[in-house]
């Protein structure tokens, strides 16, 4: 119950809505759990999509320490269009990313597990969000810019000539 309340607060702070659930179960010498978070943008603006994160955590207690093994998967789906209802200029981007982390953390009381799991999930989601932003959105921007330049050809040539000139001047200073 406390884990669901903690991750509900996390979801509200970071996602401003959505749905979250936490499930825990006993194992032979440990326990495990899953944290599920889903946020859907219904398309009220010029984009729609969803973010699904699944965090599976195994916890093995060792006295006043516990080993936490986290496997996280984020599934991202987004559609952006030029004008409302304009399907011709629509861009659809979706994919998933999975990462793992393992840490030994102090386990002083029952609430320590919730705090430790929360911190690990928060850190992992931050890293994965940044990776998605760089990999998916950065690569998509590179591909689109490679297919069609936003500036005209003469401007690109002037920029390349300026870069060569600057590089040449910096190289001559070094020599």
């Amino acid at each position: 119950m406390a884990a669901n309340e903690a991750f509900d607060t996390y979801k509200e702070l970071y996602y401003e809505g959505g749905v979250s659930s936490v499930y825990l179960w006993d194992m032979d010498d440990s326990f495990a759990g899953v944290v599920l978070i889903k946020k859907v943008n219904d398309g009220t603006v010029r984009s729609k999509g969803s973010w699904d994160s699944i965090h599976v955590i195994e916890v093995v207690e060792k006295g006043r320490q516990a080993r936490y093994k986290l496997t996280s998967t984020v599934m991202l789906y987004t559609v952006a269009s030029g004008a409302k209802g304009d399907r011709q200029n629509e861009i659809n981007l979706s994919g998933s990313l999975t990462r793992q982390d393992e840490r030994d953390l102090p386990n002083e009381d029952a609430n320590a597990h919730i705090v430790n799991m929360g911190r690990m999930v928060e850190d992992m989601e931050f890293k994965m969000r940044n990776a998605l932003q760089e990999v998916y959105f950065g690569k998509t921007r590179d591909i689109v810019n490679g297919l069609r330049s936003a500036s005209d050809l003469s401007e690109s040539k002037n920029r390349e000539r300026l870069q060569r000139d600057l590089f040449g001047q910096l190289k001559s200073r070094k020599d």
Side-chain angles (χ1 to χ4, degrees):
M1 188 78 151
N4 272 308
E5 290 173 4
F7 280 99
D8 190 55
T9 301
Y10 171 85
K11 171 203 49 142
E12 290 300 323
L13 289 172
Y14 283 99
Y15 292 90
E16 297 176 350
V19 179
S20 67
S21 290
V22 179
Y23 301 93
L24 302 172
W25 59 91
D26 287 324
M27 296 174 50
D28 290 336
D29 295 328
S30 62
F31 74 92
V34 64
V35 177
L36 306 167
I37 301 171
K38 182 175 189 77
K39 172 69 178 197
V40 176
N41 174 358
D42 62 3
T44 54
V45 291
R46 293 187 345 192
S47 65
K48 63 181 179 179
S50 68
W51 170 285
D52 294 277
S53 54
I54 303 164
H55 305 279
V56 179
I57 306 167
E58 181 183 353
V59 180
V60 178
E61 294 177 325
K62 302 175 187 174
R64 298 183 63 80
Q65 289 279 108
R67 175 165 290 253
Y68 297 84
K69 294 179 185 179
L70 173 66
T71 302
S72 297
T73 299
V74 169
M75 294 176 285
L76 177 67
Y77 168 76
T78 183
V79 176
S81 58
K84 185 96 172 146
D86 180 12
R87 295 190 52 93
Q88 250 182 339
N89 295 318
E90 191 173 85
I91 296 175
N92 182 337
L93 180 64
S94 49
S96 66
L97 183 63
T98 300
R99 295 287 184 262
Q100 293 184 318
D101 190 14
E102 197 169 317
R103 297 183 191 172
D104 290 320
L105 298 170
N107 176 29
E108 296 162 2
D109 59 27
N111 289 332
H113 288 306
I114 295 171
V115 171
N116 292 338
M117 291 187 308
R119 189 169 291 129
M120 286 184 73
V121 166
E122 182 180 29
D123 292 348
M124 183 63 78
E125 283 206 341
F126 180 77
K127 290 175 189 173
M128 293 176 81
R129 182 187 178 281
N130 287 340
L132 284 168
Q133 188 169 345
E134 289 297 317
V135 172
Y136 288 108
F137 297 111
K139 292 294 181 188
T140 300
R141 184 177 49 248
D142 292 346
I143 290 168
V144 169
N145 288 341
L147 295 173
R148 182 175 185 310
S149 175
S151 59
D152 64 16
L153 186 58
S154 64
E155 186 179 320
S156 295
K157 287 185 179 184
N158 285 340
R159 190 178 315 117
E160 287 175 13
R161 190 182 78 249
L162 179 62
Q163 287 174 341
R164 278 194 309 273
D165 291 347
L166 286 172
F167 181 73
Q169 289 176 4
L170 288 172
K171 189 175 179 185
S172 68
R173 281 185 182 177
K174 189 178 180 182
D175 296 335

